[in-house]
Amino acid sequence: MERAFGDVGLAPPPRAIIRRQVGLSLAEVIRSLLPDADGALHERLVAQYRAAFFELRSAGTIGAEPLYPGIAKLLETLTTQGWQLGVATGKSDRGLAHILAHHGIARHFVTLQTADRHPSKPHPAMIEAALVEAGAAAQDAVMIGDTSFDMAMAVSAGVRAIGVGWGYHPNDELVAAGAIAVAEDVGELSAMLA
């Protein structure tokens, strides 16, 4: 993001402000960071971000995004227990596919919803599509997320929301946005799902 801003001759916002936007679609992040700019500048920044990200990933400058400790095992456990898992992310289809393949976890998910095909969070479209693809009812589903955008999306879609305290939004914001509980680690999350 800092490089994209620099490429168009703008000073980037502070990193803490940028990180608070994690979870939104790229276009929504840009609009949020520059609410008074025109659409042409927004589109230019989106293009610059994508180009910079592709270049940095291709050069090996951006490492693989790690899974939080215990997540791979939890996915395996939930799959074995018969849970139908899905992803609702502000990432692109290509970005999500890269991460799932890198970690070898794609097999755990029956539905993948990205910002390429839906409005940005907190709009409920991603969860609604995931429910349809999984053949699940909202009252039987739970959204697990680390941002207030995730929690608000869950509330809008009529599903329970569980926050995790290892993202960029503090626990009180997760609860204010609709989380019924916030797990501090994977063990707590697992217990909440039991």
Side-chain angles (χ1 to χ4, degrees):
M1 191 63 71
E2 291 169 347
R3 184 159 166 192
F5 270 74
D7 287 347
V8 299
L10 295 174
R15 284 185 178 187
I17 300 298
I18 294 169
R19 287 182 175 137
R20 286 197 47 77
Q21 309 309 311
V22 168
L24 297 176
S25 68
L26 178 57
E28 188 61 30
V29 168
I30 298 297
R31 282 191 293 273
S32 179
L33 294 174
L34 290 174
D36 297 327
D38 64 27
L41 179 57
H42 290 159
E43 289 175 19
R44 197 165 150 218
L45 273 164
V46 166
Q48 288 302 124
Y49 177 94
R50 287 185 174 140
F53 190 86
F54 181 77
E55 181 182 322
L56 292 170
R57 178 172 270 166
S58 297
T61 307
I62 295 177
E65 297 171 64
L67 294 177
Y68 287 97
I71 290 294
K73 183 176 184 208
L74 179 60
L75 291 173
E76 193 68 47
T77 299
L78 293 174
T79 299
T80 300
Q81 291 174 349
W83 285 75
Q84 291 191 87
L85 305 176
V87 176
T89 181
K91 292 186 180 307
S92 67
D93 287 328
R94 184 172 66 181
L96 177 59
H98 176 82
I99 289 168
L100 295 177
H102 174 79
H103 293 292
I105 58 174
R107 70 186 183 284
H108 295 297
F109 301 101
V110 300
T111 180
L112 303 173
Q113 306 302 323
T114 70
D116 285 346
R117 291 172 276 120
H118 298 287
S120 184
K121 297 173 185 179
H123 193 283
M126 284 191 260
I127 291 179
E128 292 167 347
L131 291 171
V132 170
E133 286 189 10
Q139 66 267 20
D140 298 326
V142 62
M143 170 68 185
I144 300 163
D146 63 354
T147 69
S148 57
F149 313 127
D150 295 322
M151 303 301 99
M153 179 175 62
V155 170
S156 293
V159 304
R160 289 169 291 165
I162 295 178
V164 293
W166 52 75
Y168 293 116
H169 292 191
N171 293 2
D172 60 333
E173 286 184 32
L174 299 176
V175 171
I180 59 172
V182 178
E184 290 302 324
D185 58 39
V186 173
E188 280 188 24
L189 177 59
S190 182
M192 289 176 187
L193 296 172

